[in-house]
Amino acid sequence: MSTPEMAHGAPGAPGREPDARPGPRSAEPFAAPSVVYVYGIGRDDEGARRLVRRVRGVDGHAVELVAAGGLVALVSVVPGEVFDEAALRRQLEDLTRLEEIARSHHAVVDAAFAESVVLPLRLATVYLDEGRVADMLAGHLAHFTELLAWLDGHVELGVKVHADPEAMTAAGGPTEEATAPAPATSPGRAYLQQRRQHRRSTEELYRSAGVVAAEVTKVAQERARATVAHRPQQGELSGRRGVNISNHAYLVPMGTEERFREDVEAVARAVPGVRVEVTGPWAPYSFATPSMADGESVADGGVSR
């Protein structure tokens, strides 16, 4: 999981705003002025009201609605000493605490997405008070409304292509005996020939993976409304064996997920050592980050799927 950025008082920007207003009223007695943690933006409808009655947010805090112009922000009023800029920076450097916040954040977004379309905001988006959240909604009302309409009826699917030399060997790929070097006149020469053959086999595997990745992208784009290319995940971030060659997100119409999955996975079915992984469906995290005229953005959460 990559370390997410925190958010300033505009969608997707980090931390608290430099000026101050009184915090919102809250029934919980905080030692410091409260702040407002924002999970996402949706429509002001019955689905949003059902959500706040049954879900809890970060550290178990209640989820509330801030409304403006037919839209709502899903928020929790939280203690400032825990969620101000300095405190959040410290917490996000602790991987255990980061995971706790991320799980709570995405649980709220996913619950909201089960009810209706939602624009997820970046992990740790915090405003000084509810008034500023309402101002943010009103200031980008037309843009948010248009984006929600564009995303409605769609889900996000992730597609990763992996190259796995161990799987290629197990499947009888080019590193098996059929491609072993001819006998050499000495153990040293045999060793060098074996090393060269292994290098050629690995290079061939990565070439094959590149071809599969290109074909997967072509097939997936024919079935998706939009595509976002993410950086390939490396090492422990990938959570899988082998090397992540490509890592894309696709915005796919609801109801077509299984057909999409079958068509994409079929591309690598006969290629030893190359694996296609399809994840989701998810809320449209990768597609809720359009640039705005003033340089702000609606930012997505940064957790690996």
Side-chain angles (χ1 to χ4, degrees):
M1 177 167 54
S2 60
T3 304
E5 297 175 9
M6 299 187 303
H8 275 306
R16 293 179 60 184
E17 297 170 333
D19 53 332
R21 296 182 190 174
R25 291 192 300 271
S26 173
E28 301 179 46
F30 296 143
S34 56
V35 294
V36 182
Y37 187 109
V38 188
Y39 305 94
I41 297 166
R43 293 169 177 152
D44 189 356
D45 56 19
E46 183 55 36
R49 287 181 282 278
R50 282 196 301 268
L51 172 71
V52 300
R53 291 194 292 266
R54 64 180 176 81
V55 72
R56 309 293 289 188
V58 291
D59 293 344
H61 292 291
V63 176
E64 305 174 10
L65 301 178
V66 174
L71 299 182
V72 292
L74 308 169
V75 310
S76 288
V77 178
V78 294
E81 70 268 21
V82 179
F83 287 93
D84 67 11
E85 183 177 6
L88 273 173
R89 184 173 291 110
R90 290 192 299 271
Q91 293 180 80
L92 297 182
E93 293 173 352
D94 179 337
L95 292 182
T96 300
R97 177 57 173 161
L98 172 61
E99 184 175 1
E100 290 176 357
I101 296 173
R103 287 186 183 279
S104 297
H105 180 102
H106 295 302
V108 173
V109 171
D110 290 344
F113 187 59
E115 295 284 354
S116 183
V117 63
V118 63
L119 304 180
L121 294 195
R122 192 186 303 275
L123 193 67
T125 299
V126 176
Y127 284 78
L128 283 177
D129 56 52
E130 291 167 322
R132 295 174 193 267
V133 176
D135 290 344
M136 175 268 290
L137 288 176
H140 301 291
L141 183 61
H143 181 74
F144 291 161
T145 301
E146 180 181 359
L147 183 55
L148 285 165
W150 184 73
L151 294 173
D152 203 1
H154 292 77
V155 297
E156 177 174 331
L157 295 177
V159 178
K160 299 181 178 69
V161 177
H162 302 276
D164 187 350
E166 293 183 18
M168 179 179 67
T169 300
T175 58
E176 290 295 309
E177 290 183 2
T179 58
T185 58
S186 70
R189 187 170 297 176
Y191 173 77
L192 292 175
Q193 288 179 344
Q194 194 172 38
R195 288 290 301 271
R196 284 195 294 269
Q197 179 62 40
H198 176 75
R199 184 168 60 250
R200 286 195 297 269
S201 298
T202 301
E203 290 171 353
E204 179 60 30
L205 170 63
Y206 288 133
R207 281 194 294 269
S208 297
V211 171
V212 168
E215 182 63 20
V216 162
T217 300
K218 178 182 176 182
V219 170
Q221 286 179 337
E222 290 174 351
R223 291 152 180 76
R225 184 171 195 176
T227 309
V228 171
H230 297 299
R231 287 182 298 178
Q233 296 175 330
Q234 301 299 324
E236 294 181 358
L237 288 176
S238 69
R240 299 291 186 273
R241 293 188 320 176
V243 178
N244 183 201
I245 301 298
S246 67
N247 177 18
H248 291 181
Y250 296 91
L251 190 66
V252 177
M254 287 182 178
T256 69
E257 299 97 319
E258 286 308 311
R259 177 63 182 275
F260 178 96
R261 187 184 305 270
E262 292 171 3
D263 291 347
V264 167
E265 289 178 345
V267 175
R269 197 158 289 152
V271 184
V274 181
R275 185 177 70 258
V276 176
E277 177 190 9
V278 181
T279 62
W282 315 111
Y285 288 98
S286 299
F287 302 92
T289 56
S291 297
M292 299 178 185
D294 56 6
E296 298 173 355
S297 67
V298 180
D300 67 302
V303 177
S304 169
R305 295 282 179 181

